Amino acid sequence: DRLTLTGIKVEGPATQPAAVDFGVGLTVISGASDTGKTFIANTVDFLLGASSPPPDNPQSRKYNRAFLGIESGSSHITVERDFRENVVQLYECALASVNAQTHKKQMAASLRGNPSESLSQYLLSLIGLGGKLIRKNQYGEKSSLSLRHVAHLTVVSEERIISKSSPVLSGDPISAPLERAIFSFFLTGMDDADLTAVEKPKDKKARLNAEEGVFQSILQRKQESFSKLMANDNDAAGRLAKIENAIQEATVILSATQNQIDALEVERKEL
């Protein structure tokens, strides 16, 4: 299964709606400068969960919300988002079928809060990619796959088309290991859920320093206890002598008692 973007529509309170339909497969938006190409790309990105709305300009200022049509197999979905909000309205119908009476449900545009109630997880779950874990760095730490991780593969700007860098990468060096791992996931179909994380050198050093502190504290207490025993060595010797005397006395009493028992046994046999 896959998600297919079918088109977008923008609306404003005092202007006619504007719409662009996308063809099957790759869609290329071309035209002269200042004709809305970047606005279309930024609007699609915003509808897929980007935090910032399209940059303001005289032509786009009259619009305050946008709609994105999506197909998944035989299912049709439309996403609506106000340019000032961080939530989306979801319609389970085609873009052309949306009207004021159409049932809709609200969900988070980003993964903030409860990820299971976000647009990203909803759409990924439709194609069996919900909850996939991807390695994000060399230490094996993992991140849940989201639409934001692949948005730069879905909407490619003119600047990135002519860039000499890999189209797999967004240009953020911090995100590069994660983006490579995501591309590998799409090639192989295998995520990193079973990957075991490796302790970072910084964390390992902090742990060892903490353990050393604990051991030093234990050693210090033992040394203090030993010093007290050495200081009270004479008292210990006196107590030891008393214990040995008590043992000898008890041995004598035990021996005398046993002699009495033996004598009684002899007497009983004679009777």
Side-chain angles (χ1 to χ4, degrees), residues 83-102:
F83 288 150
R84 300 161 295 181
E85 296 183 357
N86 195 38
V87 295
V88 300
Q89 308 299 329
L90 188 74
Y91 303 86
E92 294 183 337
C93 65
L95 176 58
S97 301
V98 174
N99 56 54
Q101 287 72 44
T102 307

Side-chain angles (χ1 to χ4, degrees), residues 2-229:
R2 64 180 180 177
L3 298 173
T4 301
L5 308 183
T6 61
I8 66 168
K9 181 175 71 171
V10 289
E11 294 182 347
T15 188
Q16 291 294 317
V20 175
D21 295 327
F22 302 147
V24 178
L26 176 67
T27 296
V28 177
I29 307 293
S30 62
S33 298
D34 299 324
T35 55
K37 302 186 302 295
T38 301
F39 176 74
I40 292 173
N42 289 337
T43 300
V44 172
D45 195 36
F46 183 66
L47 286 161
L48 291 176
S51 57
S52 301
D56 191 22
N57 62 67
Q59 296 300 319
S60 65
R61 194 170 299 148
K62 54 190 174 182
Y63 303 116
N64 64 357
R65 60 177 178 167
F67 300 79
L68 176 66
I70 303 174
E71 286 184 2
S72 176
S74 59
S75 300
H76 295 269
I77 303 156
T78 299
V79 177
E80 174 192 355
R81 187 175 180 185
D82 190 295
F83 288 150
R84 300 161 295 181
E85 296 183 357
N86 195 38
V87 295
V88 300
Q89 308 299 329
L90 188 74
Y91 303 86
E92 294 183 337
C93 65
L95 176 58
S97 301
V98 174
N99 56 54
Q101 287 72 44
T102 307
H103 175 73
K104 60 185 179 181
K105 57 183 177 181
Q106 180 175 291
M107 56 181 57
S110 66
L111 290 175
R112 297 174 184 174
N114 187 350
S116 64
E117 298 177 358
S118 68
L119 173 66
S120 175
Q121 288 306 305
Y122 174 85
L123 294 178
L124 291 176
S125 296
L126 290 178
I127 55 176
L129 298 181
K132 296 296 183 180
L133 297 176
I134 308 297
R135 180 184 63 189
K136 66 179 183 179
N137 56 35
Q138 60 182 322
Y139 304 110
E141 293 180 328
K142 290 167 277 192
S143 177
S144 295
L145 182 66
S146 79
L147 282 179
R148 299 313 307 153
H149 293 146
V150 297
H152 67 283
L153 302 176
T154 304
V155 183
V156 183
S157 66
E158 181 180 3
E159 292 78 9
R160 290 189 59 229
I161 290 175
I162 62 177
S163 172
K164 294 182 179 180
S165 62
S166 169
V168 172
L169 305 178
S170 64
D172 180 6
I174 297 177
S175 301
L178 174 61
E179 290 166 351
R180 291 190 182 96
I182 289 173
F183 189 66
S184 175
F185 165 68
F186 282 117
L187 290 177
T188 64
M190 298 176 61
D191 71 351
D192 298 313
D194 296 330
L195 187 67
T196 301
V198 178
E199 192 173 25
K200 294 181 179 179
K202 182 179 179 180
D203 295 338
K204 183 177 181 180
K205 182 178 180 181
R207 176 178 59 80
L208 292 176
N209 287 337
E211 291 177 356
E212 182 182 7
V214 172
F215 290 142
Q216 290 289 353
S217 177
I218 294 173
L219 180 59
Q220 183 178 356
R221 291 199 299 269
K222 293 298 184 182
Q223 288 175 335
E224 291 173 353
S225 299
F226 181 72
S227 297
K228 290 180 181 178
L229 288 175

Side-chain angles (χ1 to χ4, degrees), residues 228-229 232-246:
K228 290 180 181 178
L229 288 175
N232 298 327
D233 184 60
N234 294 332
D235 293 342
R239 290 197 300 272
L240 180 59
K242 290 179 180 179
I243 292 172
E244 289 178 347
N245 290 335

